[in-house]
Amino acid sequence: MEAVAIRLQSIDGGYAGSMRILVFANTPAHVHLYRHTVDRLAAAGHDVLVLTREYTCTTDLLEFFGMPYRVYGTHGTDSYSKLRFARELGGQFVTIAREAVRFDPDVIFGRGPYAAYAGTLARAPVVLVLDDEPGDFNHTVSRPFAETILSPAVTRRDLGDDHYTFEGFKECAYLHPDVFSRDENVREFLGVDPDEPYVIARFNALDALHDTDLEGFSPPQRRDLIERLSEHATVFVSDEGGEMDLHDLPARPYDLHPALIHDAMADASLLVADTGTMATEAALLGTPAFRYRGTDDHEYGEFQELERAGLAEQFDEYAAVRDRSLEILADDDAPARWQRRRQAYVAGLVNLTEVLVAVAESRGAIDRLSPSTRQALQRGRETPKP
């Protein structure tokens, strides 16, 4: 007979005994978001399970960080569509249902229909941790099932009475100074000299549902950018789609383990990208972060905030991002200037891991949190567009 987990409610309404926490990590960014939280909860004696899908390096990261996981499906990096998304969900929901009911969680963390569906079947509260993306299908179907929604204070949408915001970004769960320290050996791993400037060029696969019909750097622009950057620094290319041929270009593929990408970004002279997450990450690390919007005309609150802090810059025209990249590489004072801005800015941001651990142990109920944790959260509000 299986042992029955004894769960005792503490005075403030949280659980004093062991809990079961289910986490959805569908992308590499989600793994980073939750990895310190999973470690902390496991160390406290809770049973944690990560449900994931085979997508780029997601399972590689889960293995690297030693996180307990099960795979519920796969997702490629080719062009995406709502029809394909619906077909994909059909098969994956069968596995999600089986795993969620078998695990019988006390609380579920995630986003989109995956977490909502699991919470409905397992009759467990759902905590959605969001960033400032457009109100799309994922949010529409999941929001009614959420016990709590957490997002950065720069969120531009009103998500209802259960919406709480925090000062910072979802990346503060793993890049806040309290949890991040750079691997001092990263230059040796990359094969660059101690004083050798290097750039990371990140090219988006644009395969997610919210990327449908968007375009970033074109193939000719990618080639031109690499050739121009290479005149001033060593160029490492991180190609999410994995299809770019570099054999006749003055660049190296970024081929370290994906778990080391933040260490590499922290020591880079520049990150230039047509993707959002890595631009945000580089900015929070104090590395100049330049994002080419391409055809993406959505105004993201996070990028506007980072631009105000002088940590990131966005460009609508390819020539502008190229020329600005060359300008910053010729500016010897730029690295120190960005680090000063970073130190001044991140001092006021929330360590999101601390918040997520507390919310997990309260089963997603904000009114059960300690007063000190409650102070880190504010009721969601719709921020007026500038």
Side-chain angles (χ1 to χ4, degrees):
M1 180 181 296
E2 293 184 356
V4 178
I6 299 176
R7 308 173 189 176
L8 303 175
Q9 281 199 310
S10 63
I11 295 175
D12 67 357
Y15 280 94
S18 174
M19 294 174 56
R20 289 192 285 271
I21 298 110
L22 182 64
V23 175
F24 279 87
N26 295 329
T27 70
H30 297 163
V31 177
H32 289 297
L33 169 62
Y34 292 113
R35 63 187 177 90
H36 292 296
T37 300
V38 169
D39 286 347
R40 288 271 305 275
L41 290 170
H46 302 301
D47 190 5
V48 186
L49 174 65
V50 177
L51 282 185
T52 189
R53 60 187 180 184
E54 294 283 359
Y55 172 59
T56 66
C57 62
T58 303
T59 54
D60 292 333
L61 289 173
L62 290 165
E63 291 282 353
F64 184 93
F65 295 122
M67 297 167 68
Y69 73 92
R70 293 178 188 151
V71 176
Y72 68 78
T74 61
H75 174 60
T77 56
D78 50 342
S79 181
Y80 211 34
S81 68
K82 291 184 179 180
L83 177 59
R84 178 183 155 195
F85 179 64
R87 290 174 177 171
E88 201 173 77
L89 281 182
Q92 293 174 357
F93 272 6
V94 174
T95 304
I96 289 172
R98 181 178 66 248
E99 296 293 350
V101 171
R102 179 167 63 182
F103 188 64
D104 187 25
D106 294 298
V107 63
I108 297 171
F109 282 80
R111 60 183 296 157
Y114 311 95
Y117 178 64
T120 300
L121 289 179
R123 297 183 179 180
V126 174
V127 178
L128 304 178
V129 184
L130 309 179
D131 51 13
D132 185 42
E133 292 183 355
D136 60 14
F137 172 75
N138 283 340
H139 301 336
T140 300
V141 301
S142 59
R143 198 170 89 182
F145 301 92
E147 173 81 12
T148 298
I149 301 172
L150 302 177
S151 73
V154 295
T155 296
R156 303 167 62 87
R157 292 161 291 141
D158 179 5
L159 300 179
D161 293 339
D162 298 319
H163 178 205
Y164 294 83
T165 67
F166 55 90
E167 291 297 330
F169 306 81
K170 73 180 191 306
E171 291 81 6
C172 288
Y174 54 98
L175 296 181
H176 190 278
D178 289 348
V179 296
F180 177 79
S181 59
R182 179 174 58 86
D183 190 322
E184 298 294 333
N185 298 311
V186 69
R187 282 184 168 270
E188 179 182 349
F189 298 154
L190 287 169
V192 295
D193 294 334
D195 297 324
E196 182 178 351
Y198 68 87
V199 175
I200 298 177
R202 171 65 166 182
F203 299 130
N204 202 338
L206 296 172
D207 62 303
L209 183 62
H210 58 261
D211 293 327
T212 303
D213 299 326
L214 294 183
E215 296 179 5
F217 289 112
S218 68
Q221 288 170 344
R222 292 183 180 192
R223 294 182 64 87
D224 180 64
L225 181 67
I226 290 170
E227 290 172 350
R228 297 294 295 276
L229 293 176
S230 69
E231 297 173 4
H232 302 272
T234 299
V235 180
F236 291 96
V237 172
S238 174
D239 177 25
E240 187 178 24
E243 298 177 351
M244 191 167 181
D245 186 358
L246 300 177
H247 81 277
D248 62 342
L249 288 172
R252 308 183 202 173
Y254 175 80
D255 57 4
L256 298 188
H257 193 285
L260 298 174
I261 187 61
H262 303 117
D263 305 279
M265 281 196 290
D267 222 30
S269 299
L270 169 70
L271 175 107
V272 58
D274 54 8
T275 182
T277 296
M278 282 182 61
T280 301
E281 291 170 337
L284 290 174
L285 290 167
T287 297
F290 296 165
R291 175 178 177 257
Y292 174 51
R293 295 177 189 268
T295 59
D296 186 359
D297 60 359
H298 178 73
E299 293 292 341
Y300 296 90
E302 297 127 301
F303 291 126
Q304 292 183 328
E305 174 68 11
L306 291 168
E307 285 182 299
R308 282 191 288 268
L311 294 170
E313 298 177 22
Q314 296 188 94
F315 302 86
D316 294 325
E317 301 293 334
Y318 166 68
V321 68
R322 179 198 62 200
D323 294 347
R324 179 61 174 145
S325 297
L326 299 176
E327 178 185 354
I328 208 71
L329 290 177
D331 183 351
D332 293 336
D333 296 329
R337 190 164 66 249
W338 250 262
Q339 282 300 319
R340 288 194 298 270
R341 293 172 183 172
R342 183 238 183 191
Q343 290 168 10
Y345 182 68
V346 301
L349 303 185
V350 167
N351 177 354
L352 184 56
T353 288
E354 296 283 353
V355 172
L356 295 181
V357 169
V359 170
E361 292 185 327
S362 73
R363 297 184 74 244
I366 300 301
D367 58 359
R368 293 176 181 167
L369 297 175
S370 68
S372 62
T373 304
R374 285 290 303 272
Q375 289 178 358
L377 299 173
Q378 301 86 38
R379 282 281 186 182
R381 63 197 181 281
E382 186 167 8
T383 304
K385 294 184 179 181

